[in-house]
């Protein structure tokens, strides 16, 4: 399995625009939202646009900003966006926003096991929240921080791939990191595309995510309706 470099969330947002005036923050900082969104590219005025997927299967909202392209971000990448809403369309399908800042988060698509399950490392996490928005399963919590490469992804047990309920696991492998290099727990956001399970060809109706969660050790799985 290809190794990936885990991008741990830094909770200081990268400023997307200068919102200060004479050393004072603009009033928009007093009321703002923070959501996981998808960067959808630039509009005709070269302003950044985003898609905010609704909880579960609620409709998505298109967000139109007045800032340029986020630095080092490609279309379809998932971001943690801090923003203020200036205007909502009458039907709620789009909002005009002030993009205050963004942070790149861990992005991936769901994978399928190629080996027996017990051959994968599934180190614990501290889970604060997990939820579905459209074709994405999103997680927020903490991971052991090492500053080194690791593997972290969501994987389907291939034996259940064609079942009504598909079993998935969080593979969390610190690879060859020695124990004395595990320093502390650090915050993360993780968004996984599960669109492959939502196609008409897939028999999956429920995704059962198995977890090794330090915060709630008695809760070993969470179910998500897929379709």
């Amino acid at each position: 399995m290809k190794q990936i470099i885990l991008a741990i969330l830094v909770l200081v947002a990268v400023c997307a625009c200068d919102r200060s005036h004479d050393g004072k923050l603009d009033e928009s900082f007093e009321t703002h939202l923070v959501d996981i969104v998808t960067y959808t590219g630039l509009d005709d005025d070269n302003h950044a646009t985003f898609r905010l997927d609704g909880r579960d299967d609620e409709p998505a909202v298109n967000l139109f900003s007045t800032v340029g392209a986020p630095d080092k971000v490609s279309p379809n990448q998932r971001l943690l966006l801090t923003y203020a809403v200036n205007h909502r369309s009458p039907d709620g399908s789009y909002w005009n926003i002030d993009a205050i800042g963004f942070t790149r988060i861990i992005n991936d698509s769901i994978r399928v096991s190629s080996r027996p399950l017990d051959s994968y490392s599934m180190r614990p996490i501290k889970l604060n929240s997990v939820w579905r928005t459209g074709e994405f399963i999103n997680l927020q919590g903490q991971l052991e921080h090492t500053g080194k490469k690791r593997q972290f992804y969501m994987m389907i047990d291939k034996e259940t791939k064609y079942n009504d309920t598909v079993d998935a696991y969080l593979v969390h492998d610190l690879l060859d990191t020695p124990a004395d290099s595990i320093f502390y727990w650090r915050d993360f956001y993780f968004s996984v595309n599960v669109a492959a399970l939502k196609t008409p060809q897939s028999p999956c109706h429920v995704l059962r995510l198995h977890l090794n969660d330090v915060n709630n050790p008695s809760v070993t799985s969470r179910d998500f309706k897929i379709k």
Side-chain angles (χ1 to χ4, degrees), residues 15-28:
C15 290
C17 55
D18 184 3
R19 299 293 301 166
S20 61
H21 301 277
D22 299 326
K24 296 181 180 180
L25 290 177
D26 188 277
E27 289 181 359
S28 63

Side-chain angles (χ1 to χ4, degrees), residues 7-14 80 102-104 186-189:
I8 299 294
L9 172 69
V10 177
L11 288 179
V12 178
V14 179
L80 188 69
F102 73 91
T103 303
R104 289 177 289 273
R186 192 167 182 179
D187 296 304
F188 78 94
Y189 281 84

Side-chain angles (χ1 to χ4, degrees), residues 59-123:
V61 178
N62 295 305
L63 308 179
F64 295 90
S65 74
T66 56
V67 300
D71 186 36
K72 298 180 181 179
V73 176
S74 303
N76 297 318
Q77 188 167 346
R78 300 281 278 168
L79 304 169
L80 188 69
L81 180 69
T82 302
Y83 63 100
V85 179
N86 293 327
H87 171 75
R88 291 178 172 85
S89 66
D91 63 359
S93 63
Y94 73 87
W95 300 347
N96 293 328
I97 66 166
D98 254 338
I100 298 169
F102 73 91
T103 303
R104 289 177 289 273
I105 66 173
I106 312 166
N107 289 247
D108 201 12
S109 294
I110 198 161
R111 309 185 189 196
V112 181
S113 65
S114 58
R115 311 191 306 267
L117 287 180
D118 59 8
S119 68
Y120 292 91
S121 176
M122 300 180 190
R123 290 188 66 87

